[in-house]
Amino acid sequence: MIINVLNTRFEKVAVVDEFNSLMWCVRYNNVGALDLEVSATTQNLLIFRKGFYITRNDDSHIFRIEAIEINTSENGNNTLLVGGLDLISILNQRVITQHINLNQNIKTYVQKLIDNECSGDRHLSYPIEIETTENTITHRETTNSYVGDELFKVCKNEDLFCHLYFDNGVFKLVISKIKDRTIAQTQNTKIVFSSENDNLISSKYTVN
């Protein structure tokens, strides 16, 4: 696995292929989180900075570095603990100030939110394009909440998920239908947890 570090202009400044641990937590109805531990070398101290971004070669999600901490173990080894939030968290730096009462499809509603509240934000200095094929009609009346939180509420109510990434100078907000991969359905590939992973409270189950 390769980790890329991007500066505030989303330009690659470093490639990291050695790290102690990585938690890459993607959430579809909330902001994802990243926890990365690397050796506290001089190079890493220069590479990892608050406000920079971390990507992976096998995933389109982007995490913004929010916290950096140096940890010293009992044997005297120093490690760098890097904490980040999914790129979509930047939408929660804007509070909804303008009243919107729409009975429109998802794309129209979200576009209205972005046009009203995100224009001129220094963290959103690039245009936002919405990519969706969903024509779901949403009945929403905005309250004094954050833009990101409102977006998650809309998607959760309609069984959708949203994902913000950066591509060629543009933020792209993807809104898609959540795929049901439970055992009971037959339309999509089913996901069955393996007891070998030891990540279930009880691994006694049957597949029909």
Side-chain angles (χ1 to χ4, degrees):
M1 182 191 305
I2 301 296
I3 293 175
N4 303 304
V5 182
L6 315 181
N7 62 19
T8 55
R9 296 184 298 276
F10 294 92
E11 300 166 336
K12 186 186 296 185
V13 296
V15 175
V16 179
D17 57 4
E18 293 184 6
F19 49 89
N20 300 336
S21 64
L22 172 65
M23 184 195 75
W24 189 273
C25 181
V26 174
R27 301 185 179 103
Y28 294 106
N29 284 322
N30 209 332
V31 176
L34 169 142
D35 284 312
L36 173 67
E37 181 181 302
V38 296
S39 299
T41 63
T42 301
Q43 181 180 9
N44 284 338
L45 289 170
L46 293 173
I47 289 173
F48 295 98
R49 302 182 186 182
K50 287 185 181 180
F52 276 23
Y53 300 91
I54 294 176
T55 67
R56 269 171 47 176
N57 61 323
D58 59 347
D59 195 303
S60 63
H61 284 81
I62 302 175
F63 288 86
R64 185 171 184 266
I65 298 176
E66 302 287 343
I68 300 174
E69 179 183 341
I70 297 178
N71 182 57
T72 303
S73 63
E74 293 181 355
N75 57 14
N77 292 329
N78 292 329
T79 57
L80 197 63
L81 306 178
V82 180
L85 294 176
D86 195 305
L87 178 62
I88 204 167
S89 65
I90 62 178
L91 295 180
N92 272 344
Q93 295 175 348
R94 302 296 296 180
V95 177
I96 299 173
T97 58
Q98 300 186 44
H99 182 83
I100 304 175
N101 189 351
L102 286 179
N103 183 15
Q104 300 286 343
N105 62 43
I106 290 290
K107 184 174 183 178
T108 301
Y109 178 72
V110 174
Q111 188 68 64
K112 189 71 173 177
L113 274 180
I114 292 173
D115 290 344
N116 284 359
E117 308 298 345
C118 297
S119 299
D121 191 298
R122 66 184 181 89
H123 297 291
L124 295 167
S125 54
Y126 301 94
I128 300 178
E129 293 181 356
I130 300 175
E131 297 181 349
T132 183
T133 57
E134 300 301 323
N135 293 315
T136 305
I137 301 298
T138 184
H139 309 272
R140 298 293 297 178
E141 182 172 351
T142 57
T143 57
N144 294 326
S145 62
Y146 293 104
V147 173
D149 288 344
E150 173 64 14
L151 179 59
F152 284 126
K153 289 177 184 176
V154 171
C155 289
K156 187 173 183 179
N157 288 342
E158 306 296 342
D159 290 329
L160 304 171
F161 78 89
C162 51
H163 168 42
L164 183 68
Y165 68 99
F166 185 82
D167 182 47
N168 293 324
V170 176
F171 286 118
K172 294 191 176 181
L173 178 62
V174 179
I175 301 175
S176 303
K177 196 73 174 177
I178 295 175
K179 288 187 177 181
D180 184 357
R181 296 190 181 276
T182 58
I183 294 176
Q185 57 81 37
T186 57
Q187 294 181 340
N188 302 310
T189 304
K190 301 174 183 179
I191 293 179
V192 179
F193 288 98
S194 170
S195 58
E196 295 178 358
N197 292 331
D198 195 27
N199 58 356
L200 300 177
I201 296 176
S202 174
S203 58
K204 293 181 181 180
Y205 59 88
T206 58
V207 179
N208 295 326

